[in-house]
Amino acid sequence: MSQRTWTAMALALGLAGLQTACGVNKATHQKVLDDLTECQSELSATRDKNSQQETRIGELETALSSSKAEGSAADKARAQLLAEKKATEAELVALRKQRDATEARMKAYRELTEKFRALVDTGKLKVEFRNGQMVLNLPSEVLFPSGRARLSKGGEAALKAVLDVLLQFKDRRFMVAGHTDNRAIHTKRFSDNWALSTARAVSVVEAMVTAGFDPTKLAAAGYGEHSPVASNDTKEGRTKNRRIEIILVPNLSELPDLKVPEAAPEAAKS
C-alpha cells in the first residue's frame, strides 16, 4: 500500500474523530471520505494483483519442473540411442569381416574343386558343400575291398591324389567319416557296420598323418548305416551310401559371433 493511501486513511480517521468531537466542515469531511474510498479500491486492486502474480508464479514453477523432467528423459533417450548406434556399428564391422572371410574361403574352395576336377570326372571323388562345409566324398569301392578296412593299392593311389591337393589346407581341421549301407556285417574283426565304418575312417586318418597332416587337427568317426545319402532299397543307392567323407571343418574365426550382445543400461531396465 502506498504512503499516500496510509496518509489518507490516517487523515480520514483523524478528521472523523475531530468531526465527532468538534464539528468539521462538511466539504472537508466529504473529501476525506472520498480519499478513503479511493484507498480501499486501491487496496482491493493490489490484493487482486498479488493473487494473480502468485498464481502465475505457481504456474511457472510447475512448467519449470516439467521442463526439467522432460530434459532428463531426453538425455536418457539420447544416451540409449548412442549406445544402440555403437552396438549396430560393431555388428556391421563383424558382419563385413565374416563376409570377407566367407568370400575368401569360397574362392579357395572353388580353386580346390578345380584341382580335383580330374578325379571328379573319373567318378573317384565327389565334392559337395553341406552346412557351410566342404565335403569330399570318396566311394568305399575305390578305397577298400569289400568288408575290409585296409586301403587297397588302387585306394592308396586314389587317396594320395586327393591328399596331395588337400595339403595346401593342412593347417585346417579335418573330420574323416566312414559310412556303410544297411546290409549287416559280422566277421571276426568287425561285429557290425559301425565298427567297419570307424576302422575305415581311422585308416584314412593314418594315411593323412603319413602324408604330412597334423594329427592334432584330425578326427575319425564311424556312422555305420545311420547317415545314408540315398535309399538302401536299390543297388545304386547302397553303393552311394558306402563312402568315406573328408570334411574341412571351419576355423573358429570363420564362425559368426555367437555372444549375446549386452543391452543398453536403460533398455535393460525397461
Side-chain angles (χ1 to χ4, degrees):
M1 186 181 299
S2 66
Q3 182 64 33
R4 178 171 172 272
T5 302
W6 283 110
T7 302
M9 291 179 66
L11 287 173
L13 291 173
L15 289 174
L18 288 174
Q19 182 185 24
T20 302
C22 8
V24 178
N25 184 287
K26 285 185 177 182
T28 302
H29 178 238
Q30 185 61 45
K31 177 68 168 60
V32 172
L33 291 178
D34 291 342
D35 288 343
L36 179 59
T37 299
E38 184 179 351
C39 289
Q40 288 175 338
S41 297
E42 289 181 1
L43 177 60
S44 178
T46 300
R47 287 175 176 171
D48 289 343
K49 186 175 182 179
N50 286 342
S51 177
Q52 293 174 0
Q53 289 176 341
E54 289 176 357
T55 300
R56 179 57 179 161
I57 290 172
E59 293 174 350
L60 291 174
E61 289 178 344
T62 300
L64 179 60
S65 177
S66 177
S67 177
K68 288 180 178 179
E70 291 176 356
S72 177
D75 290 340
K76 291 179 180 178
R78 189 180 301 108
Q80 181 175 346
L81 287 173
L82 288 174
E84 291 175 353
K85 178 176 179 290
K86 290 181 180 179
T88 300
E89 290 174 346
E91 289 176 358
L92 286 174
V93 170
L95 287 173
R96 290 191 186 104
K97 182 179 179 181
Q98 182 183 343
R99 180 200 62 194
D100 292 344
T102 300
E103 289 178 352
R105 185 170 70 252
M106 294 307 297
K107 179 181 178 182
Y109 285 169
R110 285 192 294 269
E111 293 174 352
L112 184 59
T113 302
E114 286 302 314
K115 293 180 180 180
F116 283 133
R117 180 62 59 191
L119 290 172
V120 172
D121 290 342
T122 59
K124 296 181 179 179
L125 177 68
K126 183 178 180 181
V127 180
E128 302 173 326
F129 289 93
R130 189 187 310 151
N131 300 324
Q133 299 175 328
M134 187 176 194
V135 180
L136 306 182
N137 184 331
L138 295 90
S140 291
E141 283 73 8
V142 174
L143 302 178
F144 303 99
S146 178
R148 305 287 183 87
R150 183 175 179 177
L151 290 165
S152 65
K153 293 296 182 180
E156 290 178 351
L159 183 59
K160 183 179 183 303
V162 172
L163 299 185
D164 285 345
V165 178
L166 278 184
L167 277 172
Q168 64 179 293
F169 286 86
K170 67 179 182 179
D171 59 327
R172 302 294 293 265
R173 295 174 57 241
F174 293 88
M175 164 73 78
V176 179
H179 301 269
T180 68
D181 59 26
N182 66 345
R183 294 293 177 89
I185 182 175
H186 185 78
T187 64
K188 291 182 178 180
R189 184 177 178 187
F190 304 115
S191 58
D192 53 30
N193 284 323
W194 249 332
L196 175 61
S197 63
T198 302
R200 285 178 169 177
V202 170
S203 292
V204 173
V205 165
E206 290 173 345
M208 293 178 73
V209 172
T210 300
F213 289 83
D214 184 351
T216 65
K217 296 182 178 180
L218 302 176
Y223 289 84
E225 70 268 27
H226 303 292
S227 184
V229 292
S231 171
N232 281 301
D233 293 335
T234 65
K235 181 179 179 180
E236 181 182 6
R238 290 191 295 273
T239 298
K240 290 181 179 179
N241 289 332
R242 295 191 297 270
R243 67 198 189 279
I244 289 289
E245 293 180 341
I246 302 178
I247 304 167
L248 278 72
V249 180
N251 291 331
L252 293 179
S253 61
E254 297 172 349
L255 297 176
D257 186 1
L258 300 180
K259 293 186 295 184
V260 177
E262 296 182 2
E266 292 304 320
K269 295 179 182 179
S270 61

